[in-house]
Amino acid sequence: DVKVTQSSRYLVKRTGEKVFLECVQDMDHENMFWYRQDPGLGLRLIYFSYDVKMKEKGDIPEGYSVSREKKERFSLILESASTNQTSMYLCASSLIHWEKLFFGSGTQLSVL
Amino acid sequence: EDQVTQSPEALRLQEGESSSLNCSYTVSGLRGLFWYRQDPGKGPEFLFTLYSAGEEKEKERLKATLTKKESFLHITAPKPEDSATYLCAVQADYGGATNKLIFGTGTLLAVQP
């Protein structure tokens, strides 16, 4: 069964902390994505990657960075967490760019 | 501006009461329209892809249809296990540029026994 695994289900951090959200997929997919999901705003794309070492900004990249050193792993980094980054973060992967995304279960991040 | 709007925001049905969810979109060119199901505390799960007006896809009690301006997700004789948030996403065609997905905010469906 295909799987996208996010390292933490719930995370509580302090303002100003550096935060790492990890995502691993076992489907040998080239494409990986980070979204955040907020009530009333839907899913918004933060960053995506079509290949190892490659990354592209999404619609709301400010305050975030990413790392993709290996094909199966895509990390989202909050350089200095702020309260407005409290959200549900969803990682996804796909075989063909934007077709049929497989999502992880999400990380609910609270920044206090 | 490219936009995806889902209606209603929430829908409560009795078991067996058929209904439809709507996804209307305004994009310059459509590459594909996707339906996802999201259960509480989980990530979205892919249901269907539709590419052109007139296309239909079916899976169990769900049927997705597409016109040039909107898509419908028809739910026939729903069961309580169909309760979830249903998300619609549109991939616009920017003529070779990155064709990202635009998600709607979803319809929260509750099916009561």
Side-chain angles (χ1 to χ4, degrees):
Chain A
D1 211 11
V2 297
K3 206 165 184 181
V4 177
T5 303
Q6 295 186 230
S7 54
S8 304
R9 184 68 185 91
Y10 298 97
L11 213 51
V12 180
K13 295 292 180 181
R14 295 285 180 190
T15 302
E17 279 192 77
K18 191 169 185 175
V19 182
F20 293 86
L21 302 183
E22 307 286 344
C23 175
V24 178
Q25 51 97 0
D26 64 359
M27 295 167 279
D28 202 33
H29 285 169
E30 295 285 348
N31 314 296
M32 296 190 74
F33 312 85
W34 275 107
Y35 286 89
R36 64 177 280 178
Q37 185 174 33
D38 300 286
L41 295 177
L43 274 76
R44 293 181 291 166
L45 181 66
I46 306 172
Y47 268 95
F48 62 100
S49 169
Y50 286 160
D51 198 358
V52 175
K53 302 287 187 179
M54 175 271 183
K55 57 189 177 184
E56 289 270 354
K57 291 180 181 179
D59 299 317
I60 51 164
E62 297 79 19
Y64 304 95
S65 62
V66 289
S67 172
R68 192 161 182 206
E69 296 292 324
K70 293 185 177 181
K71 188 177 185 180
E72 68 270 18
R73 187 179 298 269
F74 193 34
S75 303
L76 181 69
I77 303 156
L78 285 68
E79 296 291 342
S80 177
S82 63
T83 54
N84 63 13
Q85 292 179 310
T86 291
S87 185
M88 170 68 83
Y89 289 88
L90 290 162
C91 174
S93 72
S94 73
L95 183 61
I96 304 172
H97 286 186
W98 305 95
E99 304 268 337
K100 194 175 182 179
L101 270 60
F102 291 87
F103 285 87
S105 292
T107 295
Q108 180 62 53
L109 173 67
S110 296
V111 182
L112 305 177
Chain B
E1 181 186 349
D2 295 333
Q3 202 166 3
V4 176
T5 304
Q6 291 188 247
S7 62
E9 288 186 14
L11 181 63
R12 189 186 299 270
L13 299 173
Q14 290 297 125
E15 185 171 2
E17 180 187 1
S18 302
S19 188
S20 296
L21 312 183
N22 177 263
C23 172
S24 64
Y25 59 91
T26 52
V27 296
S28 52
L30 181 71
R31 286 180 65 91
L33 185 142
F34 307 86
W35 282 98
Y36 287 83
R37 169 191 169 125
Q38 186 173 21
D39 292 303
K42 294 190 176 181
E45 180 182 350
F46 172 82
L47 291 172
F48 304 110
T49 306
L50 301 165
Y51 292 107
S52 56
E55 190 174 358
E56 298 182 352
K57 293 273 180 74
E58 279 189 75
K59 180 180 179 181
E60 296 179 355
R61 295 176 292 282
L62 300 177
K63 180 179 177 181
T65 62
L66 181 64
T67 73
K68 287 187 177 181
K69 292 184 178 179
E70 59 192 346
S71 176
F72 291 94
L73 185 64
H74 307 278
I75 304 176
T76 302
K79 297 181 177 181
E81 52 262 43
D82 294 321
S83 298
T85 297
Y86 290 87
L87 300 172
C88 169
V90 167
Q91 185 184 15
D93 188 349
Y94 297 114
T98 302
N99 300 318
K100 295 174 286 187
L101 291 178
I102 306 164
F103 277 89
T105 52
T107 293
L108 176 61
L109 174 66
V111 182
Q112 295 184 313

